[in-house]
Structure formats: C-alpha cells, structure tokens
Amino acid sequence: MDDVKETVLSILKDLTGEDFSTKLDENLYDSALLDSMGTVQLLLDLQDKLGVEAPISEFNRSEWDTPAKIIAKVEATK
Amino acid sequence: MRWYIPYGNPTYFIWLAVALIPLMLGLLYGHRFRWCQTLISLFFLILTFGGPNWHTGIALICYLAYQIVLVGAYSHYRQRKSSANKGWVFVLAVVLAIVPLIVVKVTPAIQSGKQSIIGFLGISYITFKVVQTIMETRDGIIKDYHPVVFAQFLLFFPTISSGPIDRYRRFVSDYQNVPAQKDYLDLVQTGVHYVFLGFLYKFVLAYFFGTVLMPQIQFAALMAHGFSWYIVGYMYVYSMDLFFDFAGYSLFAVGISYLMGIKTPMNFNQPFKSKNIKDFWNRWHMTLSFWFRDYIFMRLVFFMMKHKTFKSRITTANVCYIINMLIMGFWHGETWFYILYGLLHGCALVVNDTWLRYKKKHRDKIPHNKLTELFATFITFNFVCFTFLIFSGFLNTLFFGPSKF
C-alpha cells in the first residue's frame, strides 16, 4: 500500500518538481503543474514503475486530478 | 413547409419550444420518453436535411448506415474472447471511418470548388464522434455497443450541425438516466439562460459585427487595393463576428441539450481573456481542441515516448504540437489559409512552451505582475485575431482573388 503511495509521489515530484506528501488533495491541473505532456509522462511512468496499464481514454481529468485520486486509482487496478 | 438550418431563424425556435414540451414534462416527472425524443429528433433532422436538401439527407442516411456497421464490426472484433487487438485492424477501422470526410474535404480542392455528393451539413462533427468511439473501443473502455444508442449519439439533433462534440460514454450515461427533479430544474434554468444569451450573441452582436459592419469594411479594404488600415479593422470585426456567431450557436446547442436532460459540454469560456495560447485553446472551441488533445496529441506523444522516437521530451512535445495543429488546419479545409492557420497555432504553442520554460528558469529576473499579465492577454488576443484574419480567407480574396473592380 505505502509502496504505491511513495512511488506515485516520487513520480509526481520528478514531473512537477514539487513534493506532494503533505498536499495530497491539491488539484494538479488547476495549478497548471500538469499538462497533457506531463499526463502522458505520468501514465508511462505508472506503467514502467508500477505496471499499471491505464490507456489514455481511461484517463479522465476530473478523476485523476489530485495526488490522492491518482494513488486511489492505481491501488484500484492492483 | 420551409426548411431550416439549425437555430437559423425565429421559426426554428418556435418549433423547438413546441416540440420539447412533452419531453420536458416527462423529464420533470422522472421519465425519459425515448420514442418521443426519437420523433422530435426525426422531425428536426427532416427540417434540416429534407425538402430542397433531400440529397444531403440521403447522404446522411448512407453515411450513418456505413458508420454503424463499421463501428459494430470493430466492436465485435474487440469484444470476442481472446481478441487479438491488432494495431493494423484499429488503424484500418480509423481510416475507413474518416474516408468519407476526406473525400468531402478534398473534392472542392481538386474539382474547383464543387461540393462532393456524399457531403452533408455536420459530417465532420459526426466523424469526430465515430473516431473517438473506435479509439475508446480499442482501449477497451467502451465495452457495449448498441447500434440504436450509437445512432442516437451521432444524430443528437441539437448538436448535429457544428457540435459541441460530446463523448460516447458521457452521452450514454445521460441518455440512459433521468436527472432528479431538482437537478433537472437547475438544468432547465441554465438551459433557458444559455438560449437567451445565445440570442444576444448570435442575433444582436454577431449580426452587428457580421452583417452591419463587415460588408462596409470589406468593401473599403477591397477599394484600397493592397495593404490598408481597413485590413486591420476587418481583422477585429471578423474575429468578433466569428466568436459571437459560433459561441451563440454553441449556447443554443448546449441550452437545448440541457432542456432535453443531456449535459452537452460547453464550447467557449471567455477565450479573449486568455493569458497565452495554450490558455486560449482551453477556452476556445473547447470540445474540438480537447478532442484533438485527447485523441491526437496525447496519443501521438504516448506513442513517440514509448518508442523513444526523439531523445528529448521537449522535441517530442514540439513535433506533436505542430502535427496536431496542422491536422486541425487540414480538417478545416484544403486551402492554404486554413493550413497556414493550423501551422501558426502549432508554432505558437511551441514558442509558448519555450517561453514558459525560460521564464521558469529565470524566475527571479523576469517580472510578473498585473501589468505583465495584461500585456500577455493583449499579445495573445492580437495574435489570435491575426490568425483569424488568415483563417477568414479574406487575404486570399484581396491578393489572389479575381479582380473585382
């Protein structure tokens, strides 16, 4: 469980340069930290590091817009 | 009986107001009368594609049958147990889906402006819906395929001529449910508000810019022969007309959808307030730009990053921006000004990203305040208007058109 969380947070840190461990509910799109480029990178990283096969059409912005939601999504696919 | 383009004149709205009453009463008391919705849709489709336009009606029916079979076949292929999900089958399905549109778009370019006989009003918008459904079927996200629901989705009459482009899964979940009474009342309130705002946009503001001002300034620009300040005037007038006309139409389409209990997505969000070009595409013709983002840009980036086509992430993004916007240009039509319009926006996205990276790196040296934001909005607005001037084709008439005087 915590493994997933740590990995997602480290991926997000690489992508945005920010540490989200204390702000799990921050909206990544509203704050412009993530754009479509970053999103694709995020999906690829999730695939590489966690083996999550999430196709792009699965990716609905409103369901993946905070670190907490991403972690929940990844855990749900496990 | 008269024939109408959707939302084209007051009588169309009177028809709408009358026809929607039974459906709205049903929704208010928790029922969606699907047969009623189908009848209403049929009626409005005949208004648009019947009468003197009957041949486009035939084209629409043939097109629809073709796409329903095509998507059905692809869906069947994907739904089989142990589906191979081959890439080439997917590519073939997408190519077959866009062939009719390509024929329609290319015909005028090679037959000196003659329209293809398989064309009809709104073919490109239906094609977007078809392609998107195929892509999500490929991804395994769309699992059930109902030809009838799919046809309802494609033919949803409030949005048939020019969008907004809805998504299959979103549409189906609305279509198969009935909103709670309280939510529906809110939808009706918002819908009516949108329709009246649409009246202001389309029949007052777009009329003023497009029908009152535009011909005068166009005439003055043509009389000046070559470059003149009138071209600049035309640029702003055309941009305003384009926005109020299209945003007005979109407000009608969204408003009427709401009355039918379908939450068609919005198309415009104050685009001229944009601080940069990326911001602009998040506010202008949003359902089109999001379609391009989700079904072309992101997929292209995903493919290129996975296959490591380019070493750098930045190059990948830049190449994809240009390809993405060029395709959008080609989609508008095969003329130099549409393609240049796409190319300019592609380049603008590249420049925008480069600037934002530079700014982030030198954060301490570059000022950022209300004034610079105002300046950014000013630059973006003028750049956008300039690209609309290209898009309008007026420069083509002015410099390359047959001499009129």
Side-chain angles (χ1 to χ4, degrees):
Chain A
M1 282 297 237
D2 283 342
D3 242 17
V4 171
K5 190 175 167 184
E6 299 249 314
T7 318
V8 170
L9 287 177
S10 91
I11 291 172
L12 284 174
K13 194 174 180 185
D14 285 347
L15 274 177
T16 62
E18 289 204 25
D19 183 12
F20 287 99
S21 47
T22 53
K23 23 183 193 178
L24 287 171
D25 291 313
E26 179 150 331
N27 189 306
L28 298 163
Y29 292 101
D30 287 353
S31 49
L33 287 165
L34 218 54
D35 56 6
S36 20
M37 256 323 269
T39 305
V40 176
Q41 185 105 35
L42 172 68
L43 286 179
L44 282 167
D45 287 349
L46 289 176
Q47 220 169 63
D48 285 351
K49 295 183 181 149
L50 292 164
V52 178
E53 289 286 341
I56 294 177
S57 35
E58 170 78 61
F59 191 88
N60 180 331
R61 276 188 192 217
S62 58
E63 288 171 20
W64 291 74
D65 56 4
T66 68
K69 286 185 190 172
I70 296 171
I71 293 165
K73 277 274 178 191
V74 172
E75 278 171 351
T77 63
K78 287 265 155 188
Chain B
M1 188 144 181
R2 288 172 56 198
W3 310 95
Y4 305 96
I5 53 163
Y7 317 112
N9 60 37
T11 336
Y12 188 89
F13 287 92
I14 295 173
W15 281 118
L16 269 176
V18 176
L20 290 179
I21 289 172
L23 189 69
M24 289 177 69
L25 284 175
L27 283 166
L28 193 60
Y29 292 103
H31 304 282
R32 187 186 286 281
F33 300 132
R34 296 216 169 74
W35 52 270
C36 176
Q37 185 165 338
T38 308
L39 272 180
I40 297 170
S41 300
L42 216 55
F43 173 72
F44 283 97
L45 290 175
I46 292 172
L47 273 189
T48 304
F49 296 100
N53 304 322
W54 66 271
H55 54 280
T56 65
I58 304 285
L60 171 65
I61 293 169
C62 297
Y63 176 91
L64 197 70
Y66 170 79
Q67 300 290 18
I68 286 175
V69 170
L70 174 69
V71 178
Y74 185 67
S75 178
H76 177 74
Y77 167 78
R78 282 289 290 125
Q79 273 14 294
R80 283 181 320 177
K81 281 188 186 127
S82 74
S83 166
N85 196 10
K86 290 262 194 275
W88 69 267
V89 180
F90 164 68
V91 173
L92 182 71
V94 171
V95 169
L96 287 176
I98 59 176
V99 160
L101 180 65
I102 293 177
V103 171
V104 168
K105 290 284 176 183
V106 170
T107 305
I110 55 175
Q111 294 194 335
S112 50
K114 221 177 120 228
Q115 295 299 323
S116 163
I117 55 154
I118 64 163
F120 55 87
L121 180 69
I123 183 173
S124 21
Y125 289 91
I126 302 197
T127 307
F128 283 126
K129 292 182 176 178
V130 173
V131 171
Q132 159 227 312
T133 309
I134 294 176
M135 290 198 176
E136 299 202 341
T137 305
R138 149 96 164 164
D139 283 352
I141 300 294
I142 296 178
K143 292 199 173 73
D144 324 296
Y145 172 74
H146 301 288
V148 176
V149 178
F150 185 58
Q152 290 276 11
F153 168 60
L154 296 185
L155 286 179
F156 186 60
F157 84 88
T159 63
I160 193 144
S161 62
S162 315
I165 308 157
D166 206 348
R167 306 279 170 106
Y168 183 68
R169 286 180 290 154
R170 210 213 60 72
F171 176 85
V172 172
S173 80
D174 277 1
Y175 180 71
Q176 290 178 336
N177 291 303
V178 181
Q181 193 174 60
K182 191 184 147 291
D183 298 338
Y184 182 62
L185 285 171
D186 286 344
L187 272 183
V188 171
Q189 197 180 9
T190 319
V192 170
H193 172 74
Y194 283 167
V195 170
F196 277 88
L197 195 61
F199 284 139
L200 174 69
Y201 276 28
K202 194 162 164 81
F203 297 129
V204 178
L205 294 166
Y207 177 82
F208 172 69
F209 285 110
T211 312
V212 179
L213 275 187
M214 198 132 78
Q216 299 175 25
I217 204 152
Q218 213 164 1
F219 183 71
L222 284 167
M223 288 307 276
H225 300 285
F227 285 105
S228 64
W229 282 106
Y230 291 118
I231 301 180
V232 179
Y234 177 84
M235 172 175 101
Y236 291 119
V237 171
Y238 176 83
S239 303
M240 289 304 129
D241 177 48
L242 185 68
F243 169 68
F244 286 115
D245 187 73
F246 198 12
Y249 157 84
S250 301
L251 283 166
F252 294 146
V254 174
I256 299 298
S257 306
Y258 278 18
L259 299 186
M260 296 171 71
I262 304 278
K263 289 190 281 301
T264 296
M266 269 311 248
N267 235 359
F268 292 91
N269 176 20
Q270 306 177 313
F272 296 136
K273 259 173 57 183
S274 313
K275 290 193 183 71
N276 62 47
I277 206 68
K278 213 178 213 170
D279 190 19
F280 173 76
W281 281 109
N282 283 328
R283 294 164 171 275
W284 174 271
H285 203 177
M286 290 142 74
T287 60
L288 177 80
S289 74
F290 294 168
W291 191 97
F292 271 82
R293 179 194 72 198
D294 293 349
Y295 299 104
I296 296 186
F297 180 79
M298 284 175 71
R299 274 154 215 270
L300 214 55
V301 168
F302 192 84
F303 182 86
M304 287 186 173
M305 294 228 269
K306 202 162 180 180
H307 293 81
K308 308 216 162 39
T309 316
F310 299 105
K311 251 193 204 142
S312 114
R313 205 187 129 179
I314 295 168
T315 318
T316 311
N318 290 349
V319 169
C320 292
Y321 280 139
I322 304 268
I323 296 177
N324 190 60
M325 297 318 267
L326 262 182
I327 296 177
M328 191 189 276
F330 279 103
W331 166 72
H332 278 294
E334 296 0 286
T335 64
W336 69 266
F337 42 89
Y338 289 144
I339 297 163
L340 179 62
Y341 168 78
L343 185 66
L344 280 174
H345 273 281
C347 295
L349 285 168
V350 172
V351 170
N352 179 57
D353 261 21
T354 312
W355 162 248
L356 287 183
R357 267 194 307 275
Y358 180 84
K359 198 177 146 192
K360 203 171 176 185
K361 216 183 253 171
H362 302 82
R363 208 177 303 180
D364 41 337
K365 291 192 198 99
I366 298 168
H368 182 107
N369 51 46
K370 279 269 172 280
L371 206 66
T372 62
E373 275 186 12
L374 211 65
F375 183 62
T377 308
F378 177 79
I379 301 263
T380 309
F381 173 69
N382 282 282
F383 170 77
V384 164
C385 289
F386 173 70
T387 63
F388 286 160
L389 174 65
I390 306 271
F391 179 85
S392 74
F394 186 55
L395 295 180
N396 193 51
T397 322
L398 199 56
F399 296 115
F400 309 114
S403 167
K404 288 195 184 88
F405 303 102

